[in-house]
Amino acid sequence: MAGHIQDRWYKVSTGPDGKAVKAKTERHGSGLRYRARYVGPDGSEKSKSFPDGKKRLAEKWLSAIETDMTRGQYTDPKSVRITFREYAEKWLDSKTSSPMTRKELGRRLRLHVYPVLGSRPVGTFRPEHIRELLAVLEAKPGVSPAYARNIFSDVQSVLFAAVDDSLLSRNPCSARTVRRPRPAAHPVTPWTLAQVLAVRAALLERYRPMVDVGAGCGLRQGELFGLAEDAIDSDGRTVHVVRQIKHVEGHPVFALPKGGKKRDVPLPDSVAEALRAHMDARKPVEITLPWGVPEGPKVSARLIFTAELGGMVWRSNFNGKEWKPALAAAGLIPDAGDDGRYDSAREHGMHALRHFYASALLDAGENIKAVSEYMGHADPSMTLRVYAHLMPDSRERARRAIDSVFLRGPEGDHGPHTAQ
């Protein structure tokens, strides 16, 4: 049996004759008599007290603890005292990801998870509680399946940490009856070249090279806004994507590209020429912003794209006052309503330029690994999930490849071309 049971009403000592002598302690008759004690996997002592007459119950409790340890199902008794919110806050404080990521995780938990699960003790979590959360998220206005999937991943990560800390024996998010939210499939339909050029023509001249770089190098919107002159290689053949402008709690900051991944992207001659002409007409402007979070250290960069008054390009202003009017002028979305506002155009955001870039590369026969690298995806499998349907049909290419092997075989052989 793991540990031992202490009788706090009696103490045993050795008498003069060498025999054990049982004597009452000062606690005799008051409080809980038996204290079951053991050393947990973390090296600290754990205990639970039982009343008089319940020694067998204390022994069963210790035996169950030993069984759970042997099976790898042990959970720390304090898991029924610490709530999900308390544990999640400690987990967030210890994460090594960027401060910006921690803030976004904390925001999702506060808005969507704590109201449902925050007060529940970690050690009492079961699959039914995760199913309850998912049902609430599904019925919540404004929570898309993709966003619900992110929230689910946050909860799953917290509970995996709880398993590692012996507060849970298994993660209820991994149960077969818990279904991870699945975003509805919306195959990407890339813009045509005519649409790209129409949007470009409808923008102010100072913003047109953004379209060239977005469609010609696959940069994200924040990476375009944060593109500095030192990102263009001296030979004019490469773009070093090393920063972006993000907004943390409404404050603009410089940060690494999405996923913390810097990358080098080939710079086509046509795009390089457009950038040179733009920088000749409008010199880069030095902009200073905090790094990572609003309270982060100040960092300066000479940005290639700036607003009309010379400052950084603000996402909300650009999207509402520049990008959507250009989309309407190109016939991609309806004109503004009587209130001057445009309909939502999520599928026609600046990300559409990245889709065009990926489709152009794949259509030209570029391999999926290179496309993934240029776009800054986490791995090629993600690129395949998004763009596989855009890859050229390889069946005819396969026919030609095999035919060319057989048809150039040595004379007199018995390949398929000799069959009657």
Side-chain angles (χ1 to χ4, degrees), residues 195 198-199 202 324-335 348:
Q195 289 171 321
V199 171
K324 283 190 175 181
L327 293 177
L332 289 166
I333 64 172
D335 291 332
H348 293 305

Side-chain angles (χ1 to χ4, degrees), residues 149 186-188 368 378-389:
R149 188 180 180 89
H186 294 295
V188 168
I368 200 74
D379 57 68
S381 64
M382 177 182 176
T383 313
L384 270 175
R385 285 195 300 272
V386 178
Y387 298 112
H389 66 290

Side-chain angles (χ1 to χ4, degrees), residues 11-188:
K11 64 179 179 180
V12 178
S13 58
T14 304
D17 57 357
K19 295 182 177 181
V21 178
K22 201 173 189 180
K24 295 180 180 179
T25 66
E26 295 178 354
R27 297 177 58 108
H28 184 271
S30 64
L32 299 176
R33 178 174 178 177
Y34 298 107
R35 186 182 187 188
R37 308 167 73 174
Y38 69 95
V39 177
D42 62 354
S44 63
E45 185 180 77
K46 321 287 183 182
S47 65
K48 183 176 180 179
S49 297
F50 296 82
D52 184 32
K54 299 295 182 179
K55 184 176 181 180
R56 287 185 63 84
L57 188 62
E59 291 172 343
K60 288 182 178 179
W61 183 78
L62 275 181
S63 179
I65 293 290
E66 183 177 29
T67 300
D68 287 346
M69 286 185 176
T70 302
R71 293 177 176 174
Q73 298 176 350
Y74 170 80
T75 57
D76 194 318
K78 73 178 180 182
S79 67
V80 297
R81 298 194 298 269
I82 184 170
T83 66
F84 177 85
R85 179 170 191 153
E86 292 169 340
Y87 183 77
E89 294 294 335
K90 290 175 62 178
W91 173 79
L92 279 172
D93 289 341
S94 65
K95 277 188 69 64
T96 57
S97 57
S98 72
M100 184 167 52
T101 301
R102 288 199 297 272
K103 286 194 175 186
E104 180 59 28
L105 281 172
R107 179 176 175 276
R108 288 200 292 261
L109 292 173
R110 287 193 301 273
L111 288 178
H112 305 291
V113 180
Y114 294 163
V116 182
L117 302 176
S119 60
R120 172 164 293 282
V122 171
T124 66
F125 267 73
R126 299 293 181 268
E128 64 181 291
H129 305 126
I130 307 303
R131 294 194 295 269
E132 176 190 358
L133 171 66
L134 293 177
V136 170
L137 293 177
E138 185 177 357
K140 202 168 188 178
V143 176
S144 68
Y147 190 43
R149 188 180 180 89
N150 289 339
I151 296 168
F152 175 84
S153 295
D154 298 339
V155 174
Q156 187 178 43
S157 295
V158 173
L159 295 181
F160 269 131
V163 172
D164 290 343
D165 290 337
S166 298
L167 300 179
L168 270 176
S169 60
R170 57 177 62 89
N171 192 333
C173 292
S174 302
R176 287 183 296 176
T177 57
V178 173
R179 298 185 181 276
R180 179 188 292 265
R182 289 176 178 261
H186 294 295
V188 168

Side-chain angles (χ1 to χ4, degrees), residues 109-322:
L109 292 173
R110 287 193 301 273
L111 288 178
H112 305 291
V113 180
Y114 294 163
V116 182
L117 302 176
S119 60
R120 172 164 293 282
V122 171
T124 66
F125 267 73
R126 299 293 181 268
E128 64 181 291
H129 305 126
I130 307 303
R131 294 194 295 269
E132 176 190 358
L133 171 66
L134 293 177
V136 170
L137 293 177
E138 185 177 357
K140 202 168 188 178
V143 176
S144 68
Y147 190 43
R149 188 180 180 89
N150 289 339
I151 296 168
F152 175 84
S153 295
D154 298 339
V155 174
Q156 187 178 43
S157 295
V158 173
L159 295 181
F160 269 131
V163 172
D164 290 343
D165 290 337
S166 298
L167 300 179
L168 270 176
S169 60
R170 57 177 62 89
N171 192 333
C173 292
S174 302
R176 287 183 296 176
T177 57
V178 173
R179 298 185 181 276
R180 179 188 292 265
R182 289 176 178 261
H186 294 295
V188 168
T189 303
W191 286 355
T192 64
L193 177 59
Q195 289 171 321
V196 172
L197 296 178
V199 171
R200 183 186 189 280
L203 288 169
L204 291 177
E205 189 174 345
R206 69 182 310 113
Y207 297 130
R208 290 175 186 172
M210 279 191 191
V211 175
D212 300 325
V213 180
C217 298
L219 271 62
R220 302 179 178 92
Q221 185 182 60
E223 295 165 352
L224 289 168
F225 292 169
L227 187 65
E229 63 177 344
D230 60 4
I232 310 302
D233 199 86
S234 58
D235 63 4
R237 305 283 291 173
T238 304
V239 175
H240 304 292
V241 186
V242 297
R243 76 173 63 79
Q244 64 170 320
I245 291 179
K246 293 193 74 168
H247 293 262
V248 179
E249 298 177 345
H251 300 281
V253 300
F254 283 133
L256 289 173
K258 185 176 180 179
K261 290 186 65 173
K262 298 179 181 180
R263 66 188 190 278
D264 291 340
V265 180
L267 179 60
D269 292 340
S270 55
V271 179
E273 181 57 37
L275 279 175
R276 279 193 292 268
H278 173 76
M279 289 190 284
D280 286 342
R282 296 174 182 83
K283 299 300 182 186
V285 176
E286 184 168 301
I287 300 294
T288 301
L289 293 174
W291 183 265
V293 291
E295 58 273 18
K298 296 289 192 294
V299 175
S300 296
R302 288 177 55 80
L303 299 186
I304 294 175
F305 301 118
T306 54
E308 290 183 84
L309 298 180
M312 58 162 278
V313 180
W314 283 78
R315 180 180 61 196
S316 56
N317 287 344
F318 179 83
N319 289 343
K321 297 179 180 180
E322 308 294 343

